[in-house]
Amino acid sequence: MEIKDKVFIVTGGASGLGEGTARMLAERGAHVVIADMQAEKGEAVARDINGSFVKCDVTSEDDGKAVVAKAVSIGKLMGLVNCAGIAPAEKTVGKNGAHSLTLFSKVVQVNLIGSFNMIRLAAEAMAANAPEPTGERGVMISTASVAAYDGQIGQAAYAASKGGIVGMTLPIARDLARNGIRNMTIAPGIFGTPMLFGMPKEVQEALAAGVPFPSRLGTPDDYAKLACHIIENDMLNGEVIRLDGAIRLAPR
């Protein structure tokens, strides 16, 4: 698939992995619709890349439909990159008692159900596309995490939400195969994003040192380069790719 002149939706595109992906897609000639709750930052990024911004809660059907409608109004919607997510930490039983059920539900709602909400709505629109020369009508990329496999202490909710994304990757790809729509997932390791930069400097350095090679934090560009390759390589479908420098997380 050629990226140039196509329309792509990037959820969570106002910062972190989503912003890096939105910027790289725009550099390659795409029109990007940024879907995010951070209106001021999202609008600023959209202006920088000559894209569009739609304020969106990914768990909302109405918000998701508004994002897809905006994308379709611009041109041929050919891609969705799901980067919106949250990562609170809480133990199953901690100092204050049992894990908050409300918090667990919220993490699953945003990370897992929000990703599926955007996939199903974008896929419906893509199914109406005229096929590319390759026969494809679109591609989905969602963001899991190495925590789906190596969840650490305090990550029960986060790991469950990301494990759900891993688990639905292949069945969604199979569902959409007849429509010529691919579905992929990236599972990043330790990346330098606003969530991680909120941690103390010494914690960030310790995490980076734990990556076998390269011994550094991943960057939004690392993620964006893989996302662009997935878009362009039509044999990539129904798979989860760990992007982690060979790290395997310890319990804490």
Side-chain angles (χ1 to χ4, degrees), residues 105-134:
S105 297
K106 181 179 180 180
V107 175
V108 172
Q109 187 77 22
V110 173
N111 293 354
L112 176 57
I113 297 175
S115 294
F116 182 72
N117 183 41
M118 297 305 298
I119 286 171
R120 71 189 184 94
L121 296 173
E124 182 182 32
M126 290 177 192
N129 285 339
E132 294 290 289
T134 57

Side-chain angles (χ1 to χ4, degrees), residues 48-80:
D48 281 351
I49 66 173
N50 196 29
S52 304
F53 172 79
V54 179
K55 187 173 182 181
C56 175
D57 172 354
V58 293
T59 69
S60 164
E61 181 167 13
D62 288 343
D63 283 8
K65 285 181 175 179
V67 172
V68 172
K70 178 64 176 177
V72 171
S73 75
I74 294 166
K76 190 174 185 179
L77 173 61
M78 287 295 291
L80 165 71

Side-chain angles (χ1 to χ4, degrees), residues 157-248:
Y158 183 69
S161 69
K162 295 303 187 177
I165 291 172
V166 168
M168 70 182 182
T169 301
L170 181 58
I172 290 174
R174 288 172 164 172
D175 283 349
L176 299 177
R178 61 178 292 180
N179 304 107
I181 300 170
R182 296 183 287 122
N183 186 61
M184 288 286 293
T185 294
I186 299 173
I190 308 299
F191 270 61
T193 65
M195 284 191 287
L196 186 136
F197 290 143
M199 298 178 181
K201 186 70 174 176
E202 59 271 19
V203 173
Q204 295 180 38
E205 291 173 352
L207 289 170
V211 182
F213 185 81
S215 296
R216 62 170 176 82
L217 300 176
T219 68
D221 271 3
D222 293 327
Y223 180 97
K225 283 188 285 187
L226 178 54
C228 287
H229 180 73
I230 290 170
I231 291 166
E232 293 174 333
N233 189 334
D234 62 339
M235 275 301 288
L236 286 172
N237 192 18
E239 185 56 275
V240 182
I241 301 175
R242 287 183 67 132
L243 186 64
D244 61 13
I247 197 170
R248 297 298 181 267

